[in-house]
Amino acid sequence: MELKRRNFLKIVGGTALVGGAALSSLAGGEELAWASHHHGSSAHGGSHESASHGEGHEEGIMPSGTRWAMVIDMRKCSEQKNCTACIDACNFVHNIPSFKNPKEEIKWIWKDEYHHVFTDISTLDPFVPEKIKKTPFLALCNHCDNPPCVRVCPTKATFRRPDGIVAMDYHRCIGCRFCMAACPYGSRSFNWLEPRLGLKGRKLNYEFPTRMRGVVEKCNFCVERLAQGLRPACVEACKCGAITFGNLADPKSEVRAVLKNNYALRRKPQLGTKPSVFYIIS
Amino acid sequence: MYDSGKVIIGLVIFVAIATFPFWFGMGKAAPMPEPQLPKGKKECVESKEFMRSTHMQLLNEWRDQALRDGDRTYVNHEGKKIWISLQNTCMKCHDNKEVFCDKCHIYANVKPYCWDCHFIPKESKQWN
Amino acid sequence: MRIVMPFIIVVGLALTAWAGWAIHLQGFFGVLVPYAAALIFVAGFCKKVVDWAKSPVPFKIPTTAGQQKSLPWIKHSNIESPFTTGQVIIRMFFEVFFFRSLFRNLKGELRSGPSLIYGPTKWLWFSAILFHYGFLLVILHHLRLAIHPVPCCVDLIDKVDSMFQIGAPPIYLSGFILLLGVTALFLRRILIPQVRYISLVNDYFPLFLIMGIVISGMLMRYVIRTDIVGVKALIMGLVTFHPVVPDGIGAIFYIHLFLVCCLFAYFPFSKLMHMGGVFMSPTRNLPNNNRAERHVNPWDPKVKLHTYEEWVEDYRDKLEEAQIPID
Amino acid sequence: MAAPKPNEIIMIDHKPPKKWWMDTKPTFRQGTFSYPSKPKNIEILDMWNPREWNPVDEDWKLPDDWKERILEGFRDLLKKYRSLKVFMDICVRCGACADKCHYFLGSGDPKNMPVLRAELMRSVYRGEFTKAGQLLGRWAGGRELTYDVLKEWFYYFYQCTQCRRCSLFCPYGIDTAEIDLAGRHLLNLVGCNINWMMEPAANCFMVGNHIGIQPHSLKDMIDFFVDDIEEVTGVKIEVPFMKKGAEILFVTPSGDFFADPGTYTFMGYLMLFHELGLDYTMSYYAAEGGNFGFFTGTIENAKKLNAKIYAEAKRLGVKWILGGECGHMWRVVHQYMDTLTGPADFLEVPKSPITGTVFENARSSKIVHITEFTADLIKHGAINLDKNRNAGITATFHDSCNPARGMGLFDEPRYVVKNVVPEFYDMPEDTIREKTFCCGSGSGLNNDEFMEMRMRGGLPRANAVKYVNERYGVNTLSCICAIDRAVLPPLMDYWVPGVTVTGVHELVGNALVMKGEKKRTVNLRQEPIPGMEEEEEDV
């Protein structure tokens, strides 16, 4: 009999944990509102941080001087009908299992409809061009500057790295799924099944581990590749150059250049999560 | 009323439980395991003694250092820099779990959950 | 002094083991002492129990904690006031495994009025449960070092015990439960004035000894690690009677082992024998069927009675005068 | 002897003193110890070292070899009693028993904690009999048996009522009564015993009852009861004594013959038996159910007294024995009698001649408790009861220690009481049934010179009565023990004035509707029954 702590926790600790963490998520909610307000005001006041590093870009400048960000140029992406190069590359590099049932599905980067990705804007403004409405948008973890998932995690299994990446330590994850409830973008997936079952017959990347049943997973901005000086797998795989990746804190970086020249949107800005993923719509 | 029968039964049970390890293996010796070291490799990231007693702690530290601090370089006692990765550093040399890890781990009944996620080097070529 | 002295003794024992390790007496502390301790424990335990058993139980004196079995329409409390051997076994089961009597504990408090207030108090019971079950689990998970191959039941206990894998090695819950239990028992002994007043060196010494064992064990697992494979080889050598002393086992192991040996060797001569004694207690292990089943006293005292005949002789005149019939 | 006032007694500090217990000695203060036995009682019982002496004196006139005698006796007891041997070894001093003792609760004297009372003896056991104790002394919790230790034993072993409340809470069932009995036995070996248990024991042995009333005087007293019953009920009853071939021998504590309110209980039995037409007899020779010999700890004494019951049953040729309301009598009868003076193979398994119920639980010892017998009668509707004759009574029930923790007799007496009184309320849960509190005067300590300790020890019991008295207006404390009936009235007067103490069968006697009786206007105490006195005036 395989008795795993997660199963055990599910059975025994479930009730206690749910009680405790529900509280913490409530508290988290208040803090979130407060934090975003505070952030806003400090931005206007010109805090020390933004003065030294920001140069107009107010948020999320880490002491490390790095904040990884991604800009997806939908103008280029939408031209490549049915292209899944970036998704395939990610799936391979991270050994992401494929399960048919949408409930059991594991997603790191995927395509979704405009009104799912930009829920708020699409409801506020019904007069969006028909073409855009039909465009499949790339969605992934936004590696928010103010990530609600990190706040609710009871074990600090998910955390924000100094470079702005919202990372996961699967060793610590107890599978409580509070982070999934907290994430407003649906960027997290739970391993309901043994992940290796979803990899049967697939070509695998033996350089990168799989996950175990009972943990939550999501896009990691390819931290393991960044550590080796490589670009994220999806960026590298994109043939049309629709994905730009770089350091948002560096005014000379490519992402900053792209953002300077284009009007870019971020998802659900009113929530104050401050995503690191930008979309150029048109 | 002495209840000697009950007392004797009780004592027999006690002695049986107290001496359980002595009769369980019926005196069969369990020789000390000899893990096979990778051929052609002279040294590990630290000394043999250190690795023997402290590898789990080192792996623990590596894990936190790499994952949480994003620092993937380990400097060993000789000042040598080593790339932190169970999969891509340790298992590149120790490429056979059965003859290395399992030898001691089965002996001491230590079953870490490394292999739930990380690929077993030998297996990795077989399992799918 | 009653507290400090046993503490010093335990520290001294630990230092002895450390010194032994430092001057390379591994053979003595790793082989001879454990064998001697095991022998003293098993033989001493049996001797003590046999010694108890040599004295009979002359009378059936259960403490009845519930309604006796009498009239058929009165509900008999068959565990608290057992009538049959089977019911006694159930009563003993609850005593031994759940500390039934301690669970019943009450606290009495005198308030002004005067008014005496009673309320349930479960702290002692809870600490005792933590301590004993923690200890049991700790012993069970140590089996992995004393038997080979490790059977699946031991493995299962190990898995439950180590379900918190915060780091490597996983945390053994039982160790912390035991530490919590022993600390709670120690704290109540020094903090409750009455309990401190009744406590002897004999009470503090085993507590400190067990604390020493738990702390050294935890240090060995989580902080000052040693070669666990060598440790198992040493223990397997002992249990298979082919003793070996592998090199490179740290002092912490010998300290831990020596303290354990001290505990085992001390066991039969101490209050720790309550482990055996709880089974032998006549107020718990006898059925309350005194009037239904005769109990025999092997040393039934012979006494000189004041017989009816003697009595009649004493009062014959008065009995006759009062017309009381005489035999 | 008068005890100090309640408000003086109540200043109780349960915190132990600075000085450790091995360094303190008892002070023999009036009111806290019982007077020693007169030499003649020791002689009658063929025991040791009869002499005149006084505990407050320095010299107790012990034999020169007193220490050897005690240690020899100690060794002998350890060989004879597994209980003692195990209890000497396994106490872990967890302290669960500490606040269970009524004497500790009422006095705050740390040596009244059951664990320390036992340690008084255990320390000597360790110090004299174990290697560690001999070598290390106090460091192994041992001490020598000295003159002072002996005095301490006398003081504290005669401050325990052997109620066994502590044994209920002990995780190993360590029974302080066993230890106390052993301690008293050892004290007996050098003649340190108290008169209030030796004299009753001697009387029971020689005369047949504990006061030492001679048979012809007892007969007269019984006649008074018969007259009183006739006066109250109009029914003339007969009390069979020494009747050969009767079906049942009835034995009750002799306290019921002599002292109010036990006498009313006794009248209750007589009325009940008369109404049932029971073929029974009593005996002048074995007129005492209670066993003061048991309290001495010298089991031979218990046997000397107890054996008379079976002997008399055999001589009279009865079929079985019925036992009256008595606490320690029933400890001995239930837990010792069959072993001590049985087997009763000349008797038959008790069967109620009225209802036909066979008392299977008494199939070996052949002795039935009166409340078992009466409860069975009531259940079968064999007697007519009129609760109104106990009008004005709001009753509670005191479980006597011995029937409670030495027998498990809880529901039978309650069933009887609830059927004969208009209102019944139990005391708080933690003070009744198996957790019941002692009256504070059991095991031979119901003497007047011990009054202060009796009032202290009785505080927990009285306090629980006070609770139901204030809350439900309980005014009657019923019980099934002769010592209770003797000692609870002063205890109630002291702590809860206005509560009456009564035996269960007094209430039964009052409620019992008898054939040919006259209109009852007064109860057995010849007090007017509320609601019935008017009618008498009309007649």
Side-chain angles (χ1 to χ4, degrees):
Chain A
M1 185 191 149
E2 249 325 69
L3 190 65
K4 295 240 168 71
R5 71 198 159 118
R6 281 160 196 143
N7 303 353
F8 189 86
L9 275 169
K10 254 193 282 182
I11 305 158
V12 206
T15 7
L17 265 177
V18 168
L23 271 174
S24 91
S25 87
L26 267 176
E30 277 169 33
E31 199 188 331
L32 178 71
W34 178 84
S36 66
H37 172 76
H38 175 79
H39 246 92
S41 63
S42 81
H44 290 296
S47 76
H48 173 71
E49 269 185 19
S50 55
S52 57
H53 296 281
E55 279 194 87
H57 199 284
E58 76 275 23
E59 68 186 34
I61 308 304
M62 310 296 273
S64 69
T66 308
R67 183 187 171 190
W68 295 113
M70 182 181 271
V71 185
I72 301 170
D73 189 341
M74 287 312 299
R75 295 169 303 190
K76 293 176 184 166
C77 182
S78 58
E79 275 167 22
Q80 312 294 317
K81 292 262 176 326
N82 301 326
C83 171
T84 55
C86 56
I87 299 173
D88 295 342
C90 180
N91 284 355
F92 165 72
V93 166
H94 300 115
N95 297 315
I96 297 162
S98 43
F99 296 113
K100 289 284 157 314
N101 183 347
K103 237 196 104 196
E104 293 157 355
E105 209 178 6
I106 308 292
K107 300 181 297 185
W108 282 34
I109 177 166
W110 71 101
K111 282 184 177 177
D112 209 339
E113 291 165 33
Y114 168 75
H115 70 271
H116 283 158
V117 175
F118 293 102
T119 332
D120 41 1
I121 305 174
S122 64
T123 41
L124 285 173
D125 179 9
F127 310 110
V128 177
E130 210 51 34
K131 188 183 154 221
I132 285 177
K133 277 186 186 170
K134 283 180 182 156
T135 306
F137 278 75
L138 280 177
L140 68 160
C141 171
N142 280 301
H143 298 277
C144 304
D145 191 25
N146 187 10
C149 54
V150 169
R151 192 165 293 120
V152 297
C153 180
T155 62
K156 292 202 170 14
T158 190
F159 58 99
R160 193 150 184 260
R161 283 166 37 114
D163 57 5
I165 293 178
V166 175
M168 276 207 67
D169 183 346
Y170 302 113
H171 305 95
R172 278 205 191 183
C173 177
I174 56 166
C176 71
R177 301 193 289 135
F178 293 150
C179 56
M180 292 176 70
C183 176
Y185 307 105
S187 299
R188 288 169 168 266
S189 310
F190 183 69
N191 283 287
W192 291 101
L193 304 175
E194 179 54 59
R196 288 186 180 184
L197 292 176
L199 292 167
K200 280 249 185 290
R202 283 245 311 262
K203 191 163 164 277
L204 296 171
N205 174 18
Y206 293 111
E207 311 278 296
F208 195 81
T210 63
R211 269 68 59 198
M212 68 193 285
R213 195 160 73 94
V215 299
V216 170
E217 62 177 273
K218 68 167 193 73
C219 161
N220 65 351
F221 254 14
C222 286
V223 275
E224 79 285 1
R225 291 172 60 90
L226 296 174
Q228 290 171 284
L230 300 169
R231 288 182 303 160
C234 54
V235 181
E236 202 173 83
C238 183
K239 290 185 234 45
C240 60
I243 313 176
T244 316
F245 187 86
N247 183 3
L248 203 59
D250 176 7
K252 293 184 209 70
S253 68
E254 207 185 335
V255 275
R256 287 290 288 272
V258 175
L259 289 174
K260 195 173 265 176
N261 299 327
N262 296 282
Y263 174 64
L265 292 179
R266 287 189 285 179
R267 297 176 65 187
K268 304 189 183 181
Q270 78 282 15
L271 294 180
T273 59
K274 296 171 188 155
S276 301
V277 177
F278 297 78
Y279 293 87
I280 300 169
I281 308 287
S282 59
Chain B
M1 294 299 255
Y2 290 91
D3 288 318
S4 32
K6 284 175 195 155
V7 173
I8 289 166
I9 293 170
L11 279 181
V12 169
I13 294 172
F14 165 75
V15 172
I17 293 173
T19 58
F20 170 71
F22 290 91
W23 53 260
F24 178 77
M26 296 310 268
K28 261 183 285 165
M32 224 171 130
E34 283 166 26
Q36 243 177 60
L37 299 176
K39 290 186 185 71
K41 300 284 181 352
K42 284 233 169 62
E43 55 188 17
C44 198
V45 296
E46 292 285 0
S47 76
K48 196 167 150 187
E49 289 68 36
F50 180 88
M51 292 312 287
R52 211 173 227 211
S53 64
T54 319
H55 66 277
M56 67 300 264
Q57 193 174 12
L58 185 73
L59 286 172
N60 229 15
E61 282 162 11
W62 277 23
R63 180 179 100 184
D64 288 348
Q65 194 182 331
L67 266 173
R68 304 196 81 87
D69 309 339
D71 174 6
R72 292 183 190 246
T73 313
Y74 172 73
V75 183
N76 75 5
H77 283 89
E78 288 165 14
K80 213 171 127 187
K81 285 184 180 168
I82 286 145
W83 181 254
I84 293 178
S85 171
L86 174 67
Q87 198 99 50
N88 303 317
T89 303
C90 308
M91 305 320 289
K92 282 289 173 326
C93 290
H94 301 284
D95 57 1
N96 192 328
K97 171 175 167 272
E98 271 108 78
V99 300
F100 183 71
C101 311
D102 287 354
K103 283 282 175 194
C104 296
H105 276 206
I106 288 173
Y107 184 70
N109 197 43
V110 177
K111 292 172 180 164
Y113 62 2
C114 310
W115 316 111
D116 287 358
C117 299
H118 295 272
F119 287 106
I120 296 169
K122 204 175 153 207
E123 257 186 6
S124 60
K125 282 143 211 156
Q126 305 165 346
W127 71 265
N128 62 345
Chain C
M1 271 317 263
R2 275 175 290 138
I3 308 176
V4 176
M5 195 65 179
F7 177 76
I8 293 171
I9 294 171
V10 171
V11 172
L13 291 173
L15 288 176
T16 308
W18 177 78
W21 172 84
I23 57 168
H24 304 293
L25 285 177
Q26 274 83 342
F28 179 75
F29 285 97
V31 179
L32 279 177
V33 170
Y35 272 136
L39 192 70
I40 293 171
F41 173 64
V42 174
F45 191 103
C46 292
K47 187 172 173 292
K48 188 91 223 174
V49 171
V50 168
D51 184 44
W52 286 336
K54 276 186 187 160
S55 299
V57 178
F59 302 103
K60 203 163 17 172
I61 51 160
T63 302
T64 52
Q67 173 62 37
Q68 64 161 351
K69 183 176 160 62
S70 66
L71 297 163
W73 49 272
I74 289 177
K75 199 178 173 299
H76 168 216
S77 168
N78 47 22
I79 296 171
E80 305 286 19
S81 192
F83 192 79
T84 62
T85 307
Q87 290 163 357
V88 170
I89 290 171
I90 298 172
R91 184 183 199 191
M92 288 304 291
F93 175 83
F94 280 105
E95 285 293 343
V96 172
F97 288 94
F98 300 109
F99 308 168
R100 173 74 184 96
S101 291
L102 264 192
F103 191 72
R104 192 182 275 128
N105 201 8
L106 293 175
K107 192 173 161 50
E109 212 180 286
L110 183 66
R111 306 242 175 108
S112 62
S115 119
L116 277 160
I117 312 280
Y118 312 94
T121 170
K122 305 278 183 238
W123 285 110
L124 175 56
W125 175 84
F126 185 65
S127 313
I129 285 278
L130 282 184
F131 173 78
H132 286 87
Y133 276 94
F135 215 141
L136 179 67
L137 281 174
V138 164
I139 290 170
L140 288 176
H141 78 227
H142 274 78
L143 276 180
R144 76 190 171 96
L145 300 173
I147 51 180
H148 194 78
V150 178
C152 60
C153 48
V154 175
D155 201 35
L156 181 69
I157 290 163
D158 212 77
K159 276 193 173 127
V160 177
D161 203 349
S162 58
M163 67 181 192
F164 284 109
Q165 307 191 4
I166 291 166
I171 304 283
Y172 270 137
L173 275 179
S174 54
F176 286 91
I177 294 172
L178 174 57
L179 186 64
L180 199 66
V182 76
T183 309
L185 291 178
F186 173 70
L187 286 179
R188 72 178 291 280
R189 202 169 273 290
I190 56 166
L191 294 180
I192 303 174
Q194 287 94 344
V195 184
R196 189 171 60 232
Y197 195 70
I198 60 175
S199 295
L200 304 171
V201 175
N202 321 19
D203 300 310
Y204 293 110
F205 177 66
L207 279 175
F208 286 129
L209 195 54
I210 292 165
M211 273 185 202
I213 290 168
V214 180
I215 291 166
S216 60
M218 283 187 164
L219 281 177
M220 182 160 42
R221 185 170 177 87
Y222 305 113
V223 188
I224 321 166
R225 291 163 217 265
T226 192
D227 177 12
I228 193 75
V229 171
V231 167
K232 177 151 184 173
L234 185 140
I235 296 170
M236 287 309 296
L238 291 175
V239 300
T240 55
F241 299 105
H242 293 94
V244 284
V245 183
D247 290 333
I249 302 179
I252 185 76
F253 169 74
Y254 287 96
I255 291 173
H256 184 68
L257 181 68
F258 186 62
L259 293 181
V260 171
C261 291
C262 290
L263 182 71
F264 274 82
Y266 174 71
F267 200 100
F269 312 102
S270 69
K271 68 166 193 174
L272 304 178
M273 276 307 290
H274 67 264
M275 176 177 142
V278 65
F279 293 94
M280 308 278 279
S281 180
T283 59
R284 293 288 185 275
N285 69 8
L286 289 168
N288 177 28
N289 59 1
N290 299 57
R291 281 184 288 153
E293 305 283 344
R294 183 163 191 259
H295 184 86
V296 179
N297 176 4
W299 51 265
D300 192 32
K302 297 280 167 288
V303 298
K304 202 201 143 306
L305 282 186
H306 191 237
T307 62
Y308 174 77
E309 289 74 21
E310 290 165 332
W311 179 77
V312 168
E313 283 319 306
D314 288 349
Y315 302 105
R316 182 172 290 277
D317 299 347
K318 285 156 183 165
L319 291 170
E320 278 170 359
E321 195 184 322
Q323 292 174 318
I324 293 168
I326 300 173
D327 240 5
Chain D
M1 175 170 305
K5 295 271 169 303
N7 56 353
E8 296 170 51
I9 275 195
I10 205 62
M11 310 301 288
I12 304 164
D13 186 8
H14 287 112
K15 282 226 168 55
K18 279 255 171 331
K19 216 169 184 189
W20 197 42
W21 65 267
M22 281 201 196
D23 300 319
T24 60
K25 284 196 275 185
T27 348
F28 284 84
R29 187 164 54 82
Q30 291 294 335
T32 65
F33 68 94
S34 305
Y35 295 156
S37 174
K38 289 174 193 135
K40 73 165 171 48
N41 296 318
I42 297 182
E43 279 155 10
I44 287 172
L45 289 166
D46 196 19
M47 289 167 77
W48 306 277
N49 197 21
R51 72 207 181 285
E52 293 284 352
W53 65 287
N54 191 341
V56 296
D57 291 345
E58 198 61 37
D59 180 16
W60 282 16
K61 301 181 190 167
L62 301 181
D64 291 340
D65 61 344
W66 65 270
K67 189 177 169 182
E68 287 69 40
R69 282 200 205 184
I70 289 182
L71 291 181
E72 194 42 54
F74 202 163
R75 276 190 209 98
D76 182 51
L77 287 181
L78 289 169
K79 269 188 221 122
K80 281 179 171 170
Y81 290 90
R82 183 180 300 169
S83 52
L84 185 65
K85 214 179 206 177
V86 172
F87 295 161
M88 286 295 112
D89 281 325
I90 65 171
C91 176
V92 299
R93 289 165 290 278
C94 69
C97 56
D99 56 357
K100 307 302 177 284
C101 178
H102 51 280
Y103 280 132
F104 178 64
L105 287 171
S107 74
D109 184 340
K111 286 180 192 170
N112 270 322
M113 288 191 267
V115 50
L116 265 199
R117 200 188 307 284
E119 283 293 318
L120 298 181
M121 199 152 162
R122 257 188 222 114
S123 55
V124 170
Y125 167 80
R126 286 188 290 258
E128 301 280 358
F129 299 147
T130 68
K131 278 276 165 306
Q134 284 161 350
L135 291 174
L136 300 170
R138 279 189 184 197
W139 294 113
R143 59 176 182 170
E144 222 184 308
L145 177 60
T146 61
Y147 215 101
D148 281 335
V149 168
L150 182 86
K151 289 182 173 180
E152 198 179 35
W153 279 17
F154 179 83
Y155 190 74
Y156 289 104
F157 290 157
Y158 291 110
Q159 264 189 27
C160 167
T161 51
Q162 306 170 354
C163 77
R164 310 215 298 166
R165 191 168 190 262
C166 46
S167 103
L168 179 76
F169 294 94
C170 174
Y172 319 114
I174 294 174
D175 182 1
T176 305
E178 283 292 285
I179 295 167
D180 192 59
L181 285 165
R184 288 186 182 187
H185 171 72
L186 299 182
L187 289 165
N188 266 316
L189 293 177
V190 293
C192 295
N193 35 31
I194 62 172
N195 198 51
W196 192 252
M197 75 184 57
M198 296 302 279
E199 185 153 324
N203 283 337
C204 289
F205 181 66
M206 287 307 288
V207 190
N209 62 69
H210 81 265
I211 298 275
I213 306 273
Q214 299 191 351
H216 59 289
S217 313
L218 190 53
K219 189 168 186 255
D220 292 344
M221 297 176 86
I222 303 292
D223 290 340
F224 286 133
F225 290 134
V226 171
D227 292 345
D228 277 359
I229 291 169
E230 192 178 5
E231 199 175 328
V232 172
T233 66
V235 180
K236 172 92 181 160
I237 67 171
E238 266 187 49
V239 184
F241 262 87
M242 306 309 240
K243 178 179 155 194
K244 283 204 150 185
E247 186 178 357
I248 299 164
L249 171 66
F250 179 63
V251 180
T252 192
S254 56
D256 289 353
F257 305 146
F258 318 121
D260 296 346
T263 48
Y264 309 121
T265 306
F266 186 62
M267 282 148 73
Y269 306 140
L270 299 182
M271 289 158 70
L272 176 69
F273 299 157
H274 170 83
E275 183 58 21
L276 295 169
L278 206 65
D279 179 16
Y280 79 106
T281 181
M282 295 209 287
S283 165
Y284 297 114
Y285 169 69
E288 174 65 70
N291 196 321
F292 279 84
F294 180 74
F295 298 150
T296 63
T298 306
I299 199 70
E300 286 80 357
N301 286 336
K303 185 166 180 169
K304 279 177 196 168
L305 308 189
N306 185 257
K308 295 170 90 176
I309 297 175
Y310 276 150
E312 191 67 347
K314 196 170 184 176
R315 188 185 69 84
L316 293 170
V318 300
K319 289 183 180 160
W320 55 279
I321 306 167
L322 188 60
E325 297 178 11
C326 183
H328 67 282
M329 161 182 170
W330 274 95
R331 172 87 195 279
V332 175
V333 163
H334 183 76
Q335 296 201 326
Y336 288 77
M337 185 167 173
D338 205 2
T339 306
L340 201 58
T341 61
D345 40 16
F346 48 88
L347 298 175
E348 291 173 16
V349 175
K351 180 180 172 186
S352 169
I354 316 299
T355 64
T357 300
V358 177
F359 294 93
E360 276 296 335
N361 62 325
R363 64 172 175 260
S364 175
S365 70
K366 280 99 172 177
I367 177 160
V368 174
H369 193 279
I370 183 84
T371 61
E372 293 172 337
F373 180 76
T374 308
D376 174 64
L377 294 174
I378 297 173
K379 184 75 181 174
H380 284 86
I383 46 176
N384 283 328
L385 297 165
D386 181 1
K387 284 183 183 183
N388 292 329
R389 293 172 181 182
N390 282 317
I393 288 181
T394 304
T396 189
F397 180 72
H398 162 64
D399 291 277
S400 307
C401 319
N402 287 302
R405 286 180 287 266
M407 193 177 170
L409 185 83
F410 300 116
D411 289 334
E412 295 89 343
R414 278 187 177 71
Y415 181 77
V416 175
V417 175
K418 284 176 186 171
N419 271 288
V420 294
V421 296
E423 272 194 278
F424 179 88
Y425 296 96
D426 254 326
M427 284 177 274
E429 192 195 357
D430 293 331
T431 67
I432 54 163
R433 297 181 74 93
E434 70 274 6
K435 296 181 206 131
T436 190
F437 272 109
C438 181
C439 58
S441 313
S443 83
L445 306 182
N446 50 329
N447 53 68
D448 279 357
E449 68 266 21
F450 196 59
M451 195 54 88
E452 180 185 333
M453 278 312 282
R454 284 173 54 186
M455 295 302 110
R456 287 181 180 278
L459 171 64
R461 171 75 300 153
N463 211 251
V465 176
K466 191 171 151 213
Y467 178 83
V468 283
N469 169 264
E470 285 169 358
R471 177 167 273 221
Y472 306 113
V474 163
N475 55 17
T476 302
L477 177 61
S478 62
C479 59
I480 47 166
C481 172
I483 290 183
D484 282 338
R485 286 189 286 271
V487 305
L488 287 175
L491 185 76
M492 291 300 114
D493 289 347
Y494 190 83
W495 292 112
V496 207
V499 173
T500 309
V501 177
T502 168
V504 167
H505 276 76
E506 178 186 342
L507 298 171
V508 172
N510 279 332
L512 185 70
V513 180
M514 298 174 79
K515 287 183 282 292
E517 68 179 4
K518 65 173 189 184
K519 194 87 185 162
R520 298 245 198 124
T521 55
V522 289
N523 61 21
L524 290 172
R525 300 187 183 201
Q526 310 220 0
E527 298 159 350
I529 304 167
M532 297 197 177
E533 65 274 48
E534 293 299 318
E535 292 172 42
E536 201 205 10
E537 281 166 22
D538 295 344
V539 175

